Amino acid sequence: MRTMSRAGSRHAYDRGPAQEALRLVKVAKTYGTDGSAVTALDGVTLGLGRGTFTAVMGPSGSGKSTLLQCAAGLERPDSGVVRLDGTELTGGSEAELTRFRRGRVGFVFQQYNLLETLTVAQNTVLPLKLAGRRVDRRRAREILTAVGLGDRLGHRPAQLSGGQRQRVAIARALVTEPRVIFADEPTGALDTRSAREVLRLLREAVRVHGRTVVMVTHDPVAASWADSVLFLADGRLAGRLDAPTADAVAERLAHLGDDVTAGV
Ligand SMILES: Nc1ncnc2c1ncn2[C@@H]1O[C@H](COP(=O)(O)OP(=O)(O)OP(=O)(O)O)[C@@H](O)[C@H]1O
Ligand SMILES: [Mg+2]
């Protein structure tokens, strides 16, 4: 049983409603000061249930990455509350936050962020090492087999295609069995077929393993794999679409800003 994060965070974090994987309350984040200040998030409030797959969309600069970073505990909001898997992230120390993140959050980036000097297997189990958890080769093999790379354990990232690298990154995000997986444009650098493979893995994490996935994407087809889409504009929630089809998503994106208060 993984009690480390809970025990370690006992004093700093609050336990919240158990059914929610993620809750943000009036989360705000501004970068820079005075003349150069940019408000990336302007009071975002949302709640995501456990075992849901949510896409986040919006124009470039609308705050999608900032939202993910704040929700995952990689960035601290200036104000507001972030509660992840029943634990409040806002308020704890840096060390507690890091420990919590390593135990319960997985993150997938557009550019994979694999370490070039490590093998596929070593990259995959790195989060376990960092969290001080037991690492066995069988676990690496198991999880890499699940993403279709069981025969690539000893390869280096440079020997893999983009789609294969992203599957390693997904294996790395899954290896700690996190409650919530954040993915920032995970298919942005991939061809259609590799993108589909990555989306299938993310959806499987939700459907088969009950994890919660939050994915930023610019692609209406990728978004249509999610249970619902949240739209951001100028750092604010600007709409929500459940059971999205690619056409409905594209249509909504085209009119984003027309209906700022609709559908949230
Ligand atoms: N580290 C930073 N320092 C200064 N400004 C930042 C920083 N990160 C983001 N911003 C600014 O905050 C705003 C929101 O950025 P963010 O990266 O969240 O947008 P995004 O929706 O992810 O855009 P994209 O689709 O281009 O990735 C932008 O105006 C951006 O310039
Ligand atoms: Mg971004």
Side-chain angles (χ1 to χ4, degrees):
M1 194 170 77
R2 288 177 292 116
T3 55
M4 179 189 65
S5 304
R6 285 182 199 278
S9 60
R10 197 165 44 224
H11 303 298
Y13 305 125
D14 222 4
R15 300 291 305 283
Q19 69 281 10
E20 271 189 343
L22 180 67
R23 167 137 304 253
L24 269 59
V25 184
K26 295 183 180 165
V27 169
K29 176 86 186 171
T30 297
Y31 290 106
T33 49
D34 302 332
S36 64
V38 173
T39 300
L41 292 180
D42 192 9
V44 172
T45 296
L46 59 85
L48 302 181
R50 292 194 177 190
T52 57
F53 187 178
T54 304
V56 178
M57 303 190 86
S60 181
S62 59
K64 303 180 298 295
S65 294
T66 308
L67 178 74
L68 241 62
Q69 305 257 339
C70 287
L74 288 164
E75 283 270 13
R76 271 181 198 278
D78 299 330
S79 58
V81 171
V82 176
R83 192 177 294 128
L84 201 144
D85 192 29
T87 296
E88 189 179 327
L89 300 190
T90 28
S93 73
E94 212 53 53
E96 284 171 321
L97 196 56
T98 301
R99 196 162 45 208
F100 177 88
R101 209 171 49 224
R102 285 179 178 161
R104 260 177 293 165
V105 178
F107 212 101
V108 179
F109 304 87
Q110 179 174 355
Q111 292 302 336
Y112 328 124
N113 288 15
L114 300 176
L115 295 178
E116 297 294 330
T117 54
L118 299 185
T119 65
V120 164
Q122 288 166 339
N123 266 290
T124 302
V125 299
L126 193 60
L128 293 174
K129 282 212 159 130
L130 290 173
R133 281 161 61 181
R134 201 171 63 84
V135 175
D136 63 24
R137 291 163 66 93
R138 209 188 42 187
R139 179 72 187 133
R141 184 182 302 277
E142 218 171 68
I143 194 128
L144 284 164
T145 301
V147 301
L149 294 173
D151 54 350
R152 300 291 186 132
L153 271 68
H155 286 207
R156 312 262 166 197
Q159 297 170 286
L160 304 178
S161 71
Q164 289 166 338
R165 285 180 208 206
Q166 195 59 303
R167 281 186 277 147
V168 176
I170 288 180
R172 181 183 57 184
L174 294 174
V175 77
T176 58
E177 306 189 333
R179 307 300 287 262
V180 185
I181 297 158
F182 295 97
D184 197 348
E185 300 192 46
T187 61
L190 304 181
D191 62 68
T192 310
R193 193 165 149 209
S194 302
R196 203 180 305 131
E197 201 49 37
V198 161
L199 291 162
R200 194 183 58 74
L201 289 168
L202 292 175
R203 193 163 72 179
E204 197 174 282
V206 174
R207 297 281 185 273
V208 181
H209 302 286
R211 308 200 194 291
T212 303
V213 171
V214 188
M215 171 183 77
V216 169
T217 181
H218 282 284
D219 176 10
V221 174
S224 72
W225 284 66
D227 300 316
S228 52
V229 182
L230 297 178
F231 296 92
L232 270 187
D234 294 329
R236 295 183 189 180
L237 270 188
R240 176 191 168 116
L241 192 60
D242 293 325
T245 62
D247 285 347
V249 170
E251 169 74 16
R252 187 71 80 92
L253 275 178
H255 297 289
L256 207 57
D258 297 355
D259 56 349
V260 171
T261 53
V264 179

